[in-house]
């Protein structure tokens, strides 16, 4: 794979004997087993995703997907990945069966699930309490990835996603601004004009034999307008284990530094790797310090569960007690354990007891409960389930580039795997053809909602929002030189797009 034209994100057909008929039958049986309550269905009994209106006027979003998740047990990616160790995953073809029915742009939108933490930060008068809330928000942003082992669809160049949630108080827009390297830019603002949240993500993915590592390059910025403060950070590294054989499981690790560029305060969060015996699995520990590097409070918890903060003195005393009191000496790894490192599968360590509460600690955040049928829905959260919902009349107002209109994702969500695979192939071929055409005519791709620039707080390269969310994306699109009706972009590809 030496040519850029060879780089695309999915194997488009099923290189397996388990093809079309097996999928439809398996999904039909799984649907019967689910026995979903019709009042809890994804469409709430309405046609084409129409949502119910509650008595208080707030829309009730769907609570399940149209079709249950299919089994991946009969598919192996070893034949695809064995020659690609050490390469970027964005340059490796992957079967559609290992996707989940969301675009990466929609996965980014999941940052907003715990937006109440931003609202809490805005309401605090104390800058330390604001930093605590921002730190909790940064941790909560990766919590939805827990047990999410499916790969989101790579967005096509120019793809967009727009979401307004009046019940949660925010608007959000994102765009795929580059394909090689893949860069997704996003921008969100509070409906009450109290915050702005924006950034660009360049996920650097690599395959290491038994695992896939995703390093999320790119800066995330949160501005609290009332306090004239700006916070920046980068997400931790995510690693998915047992991509070849065994049960898939993931962990987050690395150091996240959140900087308040107004006060000089900094929060340092250490997402701990699981380690040999799994004792540190999912743990997060860190602290908040002022501009003089004095520790103001300690933070601890698990990114899969909750986050607490406490006084540094109490934290150190607890840790000393824990050491003295009795923890058994860490056993040396046995020969069997050492040998297991070279086995084909990395067994997921047994999850340790819940977070040990330190007396006097304050709860910063706790993860939301997932739907009871989440395991049949790619382990989606309730928020994630709603992201690809296509309500009645929405097609008339969505920008034609919105990923809700992608036929491959839509068909996968509906359980039509063969058609989803064919649509994915068609869209990718269109994207490659459009790229060749631009190269032939020496025309550069023009982004619509974002432009390259410099992050005003870090001084690093960034993609900055160019538009105004007060104007609906579709309206702005129609005012542009080339206007296309919804679905035309997906039906005809990108050759007619600017």
């Amino acid at each position: 794979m030496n040519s850029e034209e060879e780089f695309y994100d999915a194997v488009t057909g099923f290189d397996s004997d388990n093809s079309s008929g097996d999928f439809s039958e398996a999904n039909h049986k799984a649907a019967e087993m689910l026995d979903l309550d019709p009042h809890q269905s994804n469409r709430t009994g309405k046609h084409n995703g129409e949502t119910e209106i509650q008595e208080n006027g707030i829309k009730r979003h769907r609570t399940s997907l149209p079709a249950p998740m299919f089994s991946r047990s009969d598919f192996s990616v070893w034949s695809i990945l064995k020659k690609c160790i050490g390469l970027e995953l964005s340059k490796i073809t992957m079967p559609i069966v290992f996707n989940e029915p969301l675009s990466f742009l929609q996965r980014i939108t999941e940052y907003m699930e715990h937006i109440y933490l931003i609202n809490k930060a805005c309401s605090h008068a104390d800058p330390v309490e604001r930093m605590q809330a921002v730190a909790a928000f940064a941790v909560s942003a990766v919590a939805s990835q827990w047990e999410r082992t499916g790969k989101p669809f790579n967005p096509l160049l120019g793809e967009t996603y727009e979401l307004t949630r009046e019940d949660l108080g925010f608007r959000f827009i994102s765009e795929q601004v580059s394909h090689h390297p893949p860069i997704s830019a996003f921008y969100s603002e509070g409906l009450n004009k109290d915050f702005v949240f924006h950034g660009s993500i360049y996920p650097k993915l690599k395959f290491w034999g038994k695992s896939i590592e995703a390093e999320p390059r790119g800066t995330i910025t949160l501005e609290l307008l009332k306090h004239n403060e700006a916070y920046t950070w980068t997400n931790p590294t995510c690693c998915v284990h047992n991509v070849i054989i065994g049960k898939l499981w993931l962990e987050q690790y690395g150091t996240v530094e959140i900087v308040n560029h107004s006060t000089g305060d900094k929060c340092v969060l250490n997402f701990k790797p699981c380690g040999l015996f799994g004792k540190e699995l999912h743990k997060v520990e860190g602290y908040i310090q002022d501009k003089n590097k004095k520790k103001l409070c300690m933070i601890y918890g698990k990114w899969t569960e909750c986050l607490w903060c406490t006084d540094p003195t109490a934290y150190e005393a607890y840790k000393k007690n824990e050491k003295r009191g009795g923890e058994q000496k860490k056993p040396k790894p046995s020969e069997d354990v050492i040998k297991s490192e070279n086995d084909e599968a990395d067994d997921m360590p047994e999850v340790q007891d819940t977070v040990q509460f330190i007396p006097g600690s304050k709860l910063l955040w706790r993860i939301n409960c997932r739907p009871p049928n989440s395991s049949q829905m790619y382990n989606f959260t309730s928020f994630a389930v709603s992201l690809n919902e296509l309500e009645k009349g929405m097609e008339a107002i969505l920008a034609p580039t919105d990923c809700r209109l992608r036929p491959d994702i839509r068909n996968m969500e509906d359980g039509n795997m063969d058609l989803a695979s064919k649509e994915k192939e068609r869209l990718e071929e269109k994207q490659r053809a459009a790229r060749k055409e631009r190269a032939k005519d020496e025309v550069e791709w023009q982004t619509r909602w974002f432009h390259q620039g410099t992050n005003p707080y870090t001084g690093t390269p960034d993609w900055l929002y160019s538009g105004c969310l007060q104007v609906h994306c579709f309206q702005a699109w129609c005012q542009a030189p080339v206007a296309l009706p919804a679905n035309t972009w997906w039906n005809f590809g990108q050759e007619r797009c600017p």
Side-chain angles (χ1 to χ4, degrees), residues 256-277:
V256 173
E257 290 191 358
I258 306 171
V259 179
N260 183 332
H261 292 271
S262 301
T263 64
D265 293 349
K266 180 189 291 187
C267 177
V268 179
L269 296 173
N270 180 19
F271 286 71
K272 297 197 169 186
C274 124
L276 191 58
F277 295 97

Side-chain angles (χ1 to χ4, degrees), residues 208-260:
W208 295 116
K210 293 186 288 185
S211 62
I212 292 173
E213 187 179 74
E215 179 189 350
R217 300 183 179 182
T219 303
I220 295 175
T221 304
L222 173 63
E223 301 177 39
L224 304 183
L225 304 181
K226 173 184 173 182
H227 301 285
N228 196 28
E229 289 182 339
Y231 301 79
T232 60
W233 68 90
T234 301
N235 282 333
T237 296
C238 178
C239 185
V240 181
H241 295 270
N242 294 340
V243 293
I244 304 301
I245 190 171
K247 182 180 178 181
L248 291 170
W249 62 279
L250 63 83
E251 62 175 326
Q252 308 265 2
Y253 48 76
T255 300
V256 173
E257 290 191 358
I258 306 171
V259 179
N260 183 332

Side-chain angles (χ1 to χ4, degrees), residues 287-481:
Y287 55 87
I288 296 175
Q289 65 180 31
D290 62 19
K291 61 182 179 181
N292 298 316
K293 298 186 177 180
K294 177 186 176 183
K295 289 184 180 179
L296 304 174
C297 73
M298 306 299 293
I299 293 177
Y300 66 97
K302 290 185 178 181
W303 63 268
T304 57
E305 188 177 331
C306 59
L307 205 65
W308 300 83
C309 71
T310 190
D311 177 80
T313 305
Y315 183 83
E316 292 303 325
Y318 179 85
K319 285 294 183 182
K320 284 180 183 177
N321 244 0
E322 192 179 45
K323 235 177 184 179
R324 274 197 308 263
E327 271 198 349
Q328 293 183 349
K329 193 174 181 182
K330 187 182 288 186
K332 292 182 179 179
S334 66
E335 288 184 11
D336 290 338
V337 172
I338 294 173
K339 286 179 182 177
S340 72
E341 292 184 335
N342 299 317
D343 289 345
E344 288 186 336
D346 291 326
D347 291 335
M348 179 178 176
E350 185 177 341
V351 178
Q352 304 295 313
D353 291 338
T354 188
V355 176
Q356 296 297 311
F357 174 76
I358 300 175
S361 297
K362 178 176 74 173
L363 180 66
L364 298 179
W365 160 80
R366 189 180 296 281
I367 196 170
N368 291 334
C369 292
R370 292 191 177 179
N373 54 343
S374 178
S375 62
Q376 292 289 338
M377 301 188 299
Y378 307 88
N379 289 310
F380 281 2
T381 65
S382 295
F383 186 82
V385 167
S386 71
L387 291 177
N388 203 47
E389 185 175 14
L390 194 60
E391 301 172 21
K392 185 177 180 180
M394 188 178 281
E395 290 185 38
I397 61 173
L398 282 177
T401 49
D402 196 281
C403 42
R404 293 181 189 88
L405 304 175
R406 273 187 68 157
D408 49 355
I409 296 179
R410 181 61 56 191
N411 278 289
M412 183 181 185
E413 181 181 274
D414 289 339
N416 302 322
M417 295 303 301
D418 289 318
L419 184 55
S421 181
K422 290 175 183 176
E423 288 292 343
K424 192 177 183 75
E425 179 179 8
R426 182 181 64 81
L427 292 174
E428 289 168 350
E429 288 295 339
K430 287 290 185 181
Q431 179 164 243
R432 286 191 287 276
R435 184 171 64 244
K436 289 179 180 178
E437 193 68 26
R438 289 195 303 273
K440 178 182 174 182
D441 297 338
E442 298 183 347
V443 175
E444 289 190 7
W445 176 262
Q446 299 296 317
T447 55
R448 184 170 295 277
W449 306 113
F450 296 84
H451 64 275
Q452 281 186 294
T454 301
N455 188 291
Y457 306 105
T458 64
T460 55
D462 204 351
W463 285 83
L464 308 176
Y465 183 59
S466 306
C468 174
L469 278 180
Q470 292 292 344
V471 180
H472 198 284
C473 291
F474 183 77
Q475 295 172 338
W477 182 280
C478 291
Q479 295 164 4

Side-chain angles (χ1 to χ4, degrees), residues 25 41 114 134 136-137 177 180 231 242 306 351:
E25 183 181 355
S41 72
H114 298 273
V134 172
F137 176 73
V177 295
H180 294 297
Y231 301 79
N242 294 340
C306 59
V351 178

Side-chain angles (χ1 to χ4, degrees), residues 152-172:
F153 281 69
N154 284 2
L156 301 181
L157 182 62
E159 185 175 325
T160 61
Y161 183 72
E162 175 196 4
L163 180 67
T164 299
R165 288 288 298 263
E166 294 183 3
D167 55 331
L168 299 178
F170 73 86
R171 299 184 183 94
F172 186 97

Side-chain angles (χ1 to χ4, degrees), residues 105-152:
L105 297 182
Q106 292 166 311
R107 175 71 78 90
I108 292 175
T109 312
E110 293 184 55
Y111 290 167
M112 309 305 293
E113 179 171 356
H114 298 273
I115 189 178
Y116 75 90
L117 293 168
I118 295 181
N119 298 332
K120 186 178 287 188
C122 292
S123 68
H124 285 311
D126 183 2
V128 177
E129 290 185 314
R130 290 198 293 274
M131 178 63 91
Q132 290 171 354
V134 172
F137 176 73
V139 173
S140 75
V142 301
S144 68
Q145 296 181 35
W146 179 39
E147 296 186 331
R148 294 272 292 281
T149 52
K151 177 182 178 291

